């Protein structure tokens, strides 16, 4: 039997690969590879897609987080509240700007942080909340925005998994003072290499990020601040512009596949399916299910040639690298439970229904 990959790049929608290749050829022919018209065109198109005033292309999603945090003024001495259940880049970015990360639990259903879990961690030193729209679902933003307002806090969204996802009809990236996107190849909107963007409605933040990503230059060889080099190059921008054109259909394909899983996998023993909160849409960057028998299920799928993934097997607070934060086992029971029980199923644009049927059948057989 042919193996079913967890993720694979396929020509979906058919012909999109050729369109990407044509854009690359055109960008190469342009002979201007850094901070040129491809980047400007993508930045404008992405800002307009999100509905925001500005998008600034940067080197990757991690840099986007760092620059967004710096852009809203987070630095040494500040505390930033973020989820314990997230990809490592989120906490790394907080440490990179010299701030102190304060972890909080996600909601058991959505796996996203909420105003209730966040409120407990706010102190006099808190400067910002860093919600992560995990798996492709926007956090319930209204209560978080109110909480931020009440305590005069900044919000920086980690939207690296949520391109095009909405809350009350507005897209991820529109709620915070600044937002970070990753265009890592496997993300819902992916480049052919590393890329990222900061999105903001605040002109001062946009100006800062534009300068900071390019050695602090306001114009060639005139630096207003000590910046870094984190530019999004022309070739990636050209690719992203084409892929952006397809983003809604890529997300729709993911949602269609998710609907099949949600329909077919109901009521199987302790199996828990992804929960979408009211007013939120989900773009299923990751389709994560939960069961106490996770390891055995993963093994059985593997034996049938079906690859899966775990997001994330070791929670941030139990990673060897972050021992110095002095968290220990039991500090975040919900996060720890998710890390032990969750399993991400194959779900990507171009996954065939027959393949998905095999995944469903194998899971149903496992629980019988
Ligand atoms: C992918 C990802 C990032 C980092 O993006 P890179 O482009 O790989 O640096 C940050 N946060 C989350 C939640 C992610 O999934």
């Amino acid at each position: 039997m042919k193996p079913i990959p967890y993720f694979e790049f396929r020509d979906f929608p058919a012909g999109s690969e050729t369109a990407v290749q044509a854009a690359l050829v055109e960008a190469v022919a342009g002979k201007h590879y850094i901070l040129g018209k491809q980047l400007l065109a993508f930045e404008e198109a992405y800002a307009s897609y999100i509905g925001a005033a500005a998008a600034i292309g940067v080197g990757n999603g991690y840099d986007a987080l760092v620059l967004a945090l710096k852009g809203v003024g987070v630095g040494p001495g500040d505390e930033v509240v973020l989820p314990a259940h997230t990809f490592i880049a989120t906490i790394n970015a907080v440490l990179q700007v010299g701030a102190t990360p304060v972890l909080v639990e996600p909601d058991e259903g959505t796996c996203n942080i909420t105003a209730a879990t966040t409120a407990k961690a706010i102190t006099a030193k808190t400067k910002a909340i860093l919600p992560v729209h995990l798996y492709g679902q926007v956090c319930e933003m209204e209560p978080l925005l109110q909480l931020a307002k009440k305590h005069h806090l900044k919000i920086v969204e980690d939207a690296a998994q949520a391109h095009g996802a909405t809350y009350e009809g507005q897209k991820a990236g529109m709620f915070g003072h600044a937002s970070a996107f990753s265009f890592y190849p496997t993300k819902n909107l992916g480049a052919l290499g590393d890329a990222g963007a900061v999105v903001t409605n605040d002109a001062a933040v946009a100006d800062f990020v534009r300068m900071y990503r390019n050695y602090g230059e306001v114009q060639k060889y005139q630096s207003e601040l000590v910046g870094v080099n984190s530019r999004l190059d022309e070739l990636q921008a050209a690719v992203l512009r084409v892929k952006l054109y397809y983003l809604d259909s890529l997300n729709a394909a993911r949602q269609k596949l998710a609907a099949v899983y949600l329909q077919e996998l109901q009521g199987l023993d302790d199996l828990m399916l992804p929960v979408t909160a009211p007013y939120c849409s989900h773009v299923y960057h990751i389709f994560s299910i939960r069961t106490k028998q996770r390891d055995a299920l993963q093994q059985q799928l593997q034996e049938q040639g079906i690859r899966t993934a775990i997001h994330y097997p070791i929670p941030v607070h139990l990673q060897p690298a972050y021992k110095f934060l002095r968290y220990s086992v039991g500090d975040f029971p919900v996060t720890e439970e998710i890390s032990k029980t969750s399993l991400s199923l194959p779900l990507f644009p171009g996954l065939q229904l027959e393949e998905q049927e095999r995944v469903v059948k194998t899971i149903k057989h496992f629980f019988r």
Side-chain angles (χ1 to χ4, degrees), residues 60-62 65 86-87 89-90 132 158 160-161 182 184 187 195 312:
N60 53 65
Y62 169 74
L65 280 166
T86 182
F87 178 57
T90 320
V132 180
D158 182 341
Q161 302 188 354
S182 163
Y184 183 84
K187 300 281 156 105
Y312 297 92

Side-chain angles (χ1 to χ4, degrees), residues 79-83 102-107 112-126 128-131 140 143-151 153 155 332:
E79 289 179 1
V80 176
V81 181
L82 73 151
V102 178
L103 302 177
V104 295
E105 288 270 55
D107 176 75
N112 276 333
I113 62 166
T114 63
T117 63
T118 302
K120 292 178 200 156
I122 291 174
T123 72
K125 287 187 178 165
T126 309
I129 304 171
L130 178 35
E140 290 175 79
L144 278 168
L145 289 165
Q146 277 172 20
L147 184 70
K149 202 169 173 192
K150 185 173 151 201
H151 296 276
L153 307 176
I155 288 196
F332 300 99

Side-chain angles (χ1 to χ4, degrees), residues 148-355:
K149 202 169 173 192
K150 185 173 151 201
H151 296 276
H152 308 288
L153 307 176
K154 303 289 185 184
I155 288 196
V156 173
E157 297 168 65
D158 182 341
Q161 302 188 354
H163 319 73
T166 59
Y167 170 78
E168 287 187 337
Q170 283 205 312
K171 290 205 172 80
M174 276 298 284
F175 304 98
H177 297 87
S179 306
F181 285 89
S182 163
F183 306 120
Y184 183 84
T186 60
K187 300 281 156 105
N188 289 36
L189 176 59
L192 299 181
D194 278 313
V198 175
V199 165
T200 183
N201 283 312
D202 184 326
V205 173
D207 287 346
F208 170 86
V209 174
R210 227 173 253 123
M211 272 192 266
Y212 194 85
R213 73 164 172 194
N214 188 35
Y215 296 119
E217 290 186 353
V218 270
Q219 58 186 62
K220 195 93 185 141
Y221 306 130
Q222 184 190 326
S223 287
E224 289 288 323
L225 45 90
V226 182
V228 296
N229 175 359
S230 182
R231 300 173 299 228
L232 170 55
D233 71 70
E234 288 288 286
L235 298 190
Q236 298 306 339
V239 167
L240 285 166
R241 202 145 61 101
V242 175
K243 294 250 200 130
L244 177 58
Y245 172 79
Y246 295 111
L247 178 56
D248 284 341
S249 48
L250 295 170
N251 281 341
R254 285 175 180 275
Q255 287 166 336
K256 214 168 142 191
L257 291 161
V260 172
Y261 279 141
L262 289 169
Q263 172 67 30
E264 294 294 323
L265 299 176
Q266 285 175 50
L268 298 174
D269 199 45
D270 75 333
L271 189 71
M272 198 177 152
L273 297 170
V275 173
T276 304
Y279 314 113
C280 295
S281 79
H282 202 315
V283 293
Y284 297 101
H285 173 59
I286 288 169
F287 191 94
S288 176
I289 61 174
R290 273 146 72 190
T291 168
K292 286 209 163 57
Q293 303 168 73
R294 190 269 309 276
D295 293 345
L297 175 60
Q298 184 174 39
Q299 168 105 30
Q300 181 134 333
L301 287 161
Q302 172 84 22
E303 280 162 13
Q304 296 301 312
I306 300 162
R307 304 276 184 274
T308 54
I310 295 172
H311 298 96
Y312 297 92
I314 306 172
V316 167
H317 69 287
L318 301 179
Q319 293 280 353
Y322 301 103
K323 267 208 180 98
F324 67 94
L325 294 173
R326 297 178 175 280
Y327 287 113
S328 54
V329 178
D331 283 348
F332 300 99
V334 177
T335 299
E336 290 167 32
E337 191 265 347
I338 293 170
S339 75
K340 286 190 200 110
T341 59
S342 60
L343 185 67
S344 307
L345 301 181
L347 191 158
F348 53 88
L351 180 70
Q352 300 297 302
L353 269 180
E354 304 85 72
E355 294 175 302

